[in-house]
Amino acid sequence: MAIESLNAVDNSSMMSSLNKTNQSLTSGSQINSAADNAAGSAIVTSLTSKINTQVIGIQNATTGGNLLQTADGGASQITEQLQRLSELSIQSLNGTYNSSQRAALNAEFQQGLKSINDFAESTSFNGMNLLNADTASVDIALGSDSSASLTLPNLTTDALGLTGADISNPNNALAIQSQLSDA
């Protein structure tokens, strides 16, 4: 009988050791619980936390990049409108146009100003307006102790100094040229 009970103890000890080895092989990790190696487990936990922080920082930076691409797309549309407004103001300077032709140019000019405001008001990312001063800056968390701040422009006609501008006569068209260049 004593031999049988010794075999039972040996079998349970061997089974426990076999289960630990099997768990290590299955998981691919030498440390599967704090009982396997308490110091090693603490180091693994610390390193895993640092890696996770960096992964989130990279995701945040990517999202910030996406926000900037969205703002850049809206700003490009506004730039195209400003170029067209400049063309119209130069056309209006031409002495061969009469007042009704200048009125037609001014009508398109006014529509361009409205389009600039529409782009500034509608360019948004995750519900944040990007080009109308509703959101002046956005902080991007890049890790546990680092961040970046993105400053966003106000590209409305008010901010660009174009509110009330018109090109209905050559004097107005000439005066607006410098404001369009500045914008």
Side-chain angles (χ1 to χ4, degrees), residues 85-101:
L85 295 180
S86 181
E87 292 168 4
L88 291 169
S89 68
I90 291 170
Q91 273 185 293
S92 184
L93 286 171
N94 191 350
T96 62
Y97 288 115
N98 62 35
S99 61
S100 66
Q101 291 168 324

Side-chain angles (χ1 to χ4, degrees), residues 13-154:
S13 172
M14 285 184 64
M15 287 305 286
S16 174
S17 177
L18 184 61
N19 284 338
K20 274 185 156 182
T21 303
N22 194 21
Q23 184 180 16
S24 291
L25 288 172
T26 303
S27 70
S29 298
Q30 189 177 24
I31 303 170
N32 292 302
S33 69
D36 294 339
N37 180 345
S41 179
I43 292 169
V44 167
T45 300
S46 173
L47 291 174
T48 300
S49 176
K50 288 179 183 179
I51 290 169
N52 290 343
T53 298
Q54 292 302 314
V55 168
I56 296 300
I58 290 168
Q59 290 173 352
N60 289 348
T62 301
T63 303
N66 293 339
L67 179 141
L68 287 175
Q69 287 177 339
T70 301
D72 185 53
S76 293
Q77 294 295 319
I78 289 171
T79 299
E80 287 178 24
Q81 278 299 320
L82 288 169
Q83 289 170 346
R84 179 62 185 147
L85 295 180
S86 181
E87 292 168 4
L88 291 169
S89 68
I90 291 170
Q91 273 185 293
S92 184
L93 286 171
N94 191 350
T96 62
Y97 288 115
N98 62 35
S99 61
S100 66
Q101 291 168 324
R102 280 195 182 90
L105 291 172
N106 190 49
E108 185 180 344
F109 187 88
Q110 297 305 314
Q111 185 59 43
L113 291 174
K114 183 183 178 317
S115 293
I116 288 172
N117 281 333
D118 289 346
F119 284 123
E121 294 296 329
S122 66
T123 303
S124 65
F125 186 85
N126 284 341
M128 292 181 293
N129 290 331
L130 302 178
L131 302 177
N132 68 352
D134 283 355
T135 307
S137 67
V138 176
D139 292 327
I140 306 294
L142 300 174
S144 59
D145 57 355
S146 64
S147 66
S149 183
L150 307 176
T151 303
L152 301 169
N154 181 353

